[in-house]
């Protein structure tokens, strides 16, 4: 078997259909991004697909008796990583560092979710996983003491790159609230905002920026087309509803 598709050496598709994934890149030698202000833990939110979430919270809040000491509730940030729908995880160093910084500098509780990746799981699989993450959240807020200081009415959904596209589709599906009817616990959440960081929307008609991007760019037009081939249904159009919001 030989390589027929290569995404930055992180994901390769072989001629026999095998998908090869390398280990995530390490921290830079000698770097330590954890200054102790934030604590974190991992949980599984979807056992069927073995999908996990990493939760971050300020140690200052965690060490206090939240029920008596703190009168205000922290906002809660739901975050989805990027990677062209083909690679990435909450555990990757750059995404972990992002979670630490968000929790520390925003003074918020941060939940960084994984989702199924292409080409093994093409869209809309990742969108359905993101929706499942939101549906799981209300019940978890009732049962886990780590979220005792978080507000169910100040939930922000955030994503970067392909994760931003997931946030866009959650906005279309749920709008400003996840109603009680959408959850298994009978408790809803209020979505106060969506934060889309570089969502990769596409169209069959290339934009001027696509035409002007050099082939040597990290995210060239050729690389963008590769992610589309791997992540979307075979034969799908870039003007389909999953890729073109207009």
């Amino acid at each position: 078997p030989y390589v027929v598709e290569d995404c930055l050496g992180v994901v390769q598709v072989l001629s026999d259909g095998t998908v090869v994934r390398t280990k995530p890149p390490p921290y830079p030698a000698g770097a330590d991004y954890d200054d102790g202000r934030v604590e974190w833990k991992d949980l599984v939110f979807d056992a069927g697909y073995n999908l996990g979430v990493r939760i971050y919270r300020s140690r200052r809040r965690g060490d206090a008796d939240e029920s008596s000491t703190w009168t205000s509730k922290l906002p809660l940030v739901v975050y989805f990583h990027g990677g062209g729908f083909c690679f990435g995880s909450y555990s990757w160093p750059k995404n972990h560092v992002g979670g630490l910084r968000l929790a520390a500098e925003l003074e918020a509780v941060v939940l960084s979710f994984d989702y199924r990746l292409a080409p093994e799981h093409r869209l809309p699989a990742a969108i359905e996983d993101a929706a499942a993450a939101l549906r799981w959240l209300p019940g978890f807020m009732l049962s886990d003491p780590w979220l005792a200081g978080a507000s169910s009415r100040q939930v922000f959904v955030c994503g970067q790159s392909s994760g931003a596209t997931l946030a866009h589709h959650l906005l279309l599906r749920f709008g400003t609230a996840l109603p009680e009817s959408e959850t298994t616990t009978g408790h809803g959440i209020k979505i106060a905002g969506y934060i889309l960081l570089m969502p990769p929307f596409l169209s069959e008609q290339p934009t001027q920026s696509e035409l002007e991007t050099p082939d040597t760019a990290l995210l060239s037009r050729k690389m963008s087309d590769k992610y589309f081939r791997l992540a979307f249904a075979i034969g799908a159009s870039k003007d389909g509803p999953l890729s073109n919001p207009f």
Side-chain angles (χ1 to χ4, degrees):
Y2 56 91
V3 176
V4 294
E5 298 279 16
D6 188 337
C7 295
L8 304 177
V10 179
V11 178
Q12 293 181 328
V13 181
L14 306 186
S15 56
D16 64 357
T18 302
V19 178
V20 179
R21 296 182 177 275
T22 63
K23 294 181 179 180
Y27 283 116
D32 185 3
Y33 297 104
D34 190 347
D35 61 6
R37 289 183 294 169
V38 172
E39 59 184 345
W40 50 275
K41 68 176 180 178
D42 295 340
L43 292 174
V44 173
F45 76 92
D46 189 323
Y49 293 119
N50 194 31
L51 296 175
V53 56
R54 181 163 289 179
I55 306 159
Y56 303 84
R57 70 171 185 175
S58 167
R59 288 188 184 276
R60 188 168 68 92
R61 287 273 179 154
D63 291 340
D65 179 2
E66 291 155 338
S67 63
S68 60
T69 305
W70 301 101
T71 57
S72 62
K73 292 278 190 177
L74 291 178
L76 192 149
V77 176
V78 172
Y79 181 81
F80 298 100
H81 65 79
F85 298 110
C86 294
F87 59 84
S89 169
Y90 65 70
S91 62
W92 279 36
K94 69 171 186 176
N95 296 325
H96 178 56
V97 170
L100 291 171
R101 291 191 62 184
L102 286 172
E105 298 179 20
L106 290 178
E107 189 72 10
V109 177
V110 178
L111 288 86
S112 183
F113 286 92
D114 273 353
Y115 48 88
R116 283 175 290 169
L117 299 173
E120 301 95 321
H121 305 282
R122 294 175 181 266
L123 291 172
I127 299 172
E128 296 306 322
D129 294 341
L134 278 191
R135 293 190 180 101
W136 170 86
L137 183 56
F140 179 65
M141 294 186 72
L142 291 174
S143 62
D144 195 287
W146 271 48
L147 270 69
S151 171
S152 63
R153 301 188 61 80
Q154 286 290 311
V155 177
F156 293 86
V157 178
C158 177
Q160 182 261 333
S161 191
S162 54
T165 302
L166 296 181
H168 163 77
H169 286 289
L170 293 178
L171 166 60
L172 295 182
R173 183 172 300 195
F174 297 122
T176 59
L178 185 69
E180 297 175 0
S181 60
E182 289 279 359
T183 70
T184 58
T185 61
H187 293 79
I189 56 175
K190 172 71 175 178
I191 302 176
Y194 292 84
I195 306 162
L196 278 62
L197 306 175
M198 302 182 296
F201 296 135
L202 303 169
S203 68
E204 289 295 329
Q205 180 65 37
T207 64
Q208 191 64 32
S209 64
E210 285 181 287
L211 295 173
E212 294 175 352
T213 299
D215 291 340
T216 55
L218 178 64
L219 186 57
S220 63
R221 188 177 174 190
K222 182 178 180 180
M223 182 62 75
S224 176
D225 287 344
K226 181 181 298 186
Y227 289 136
F228 180 80
R229 285 197 305 273
L230 293 176
F232 289 77
I234 296 174
S237 167
K238 290 182 181 178
D239 285 332
L242 297 184
S243 56
N244 188 343
F246 304 106

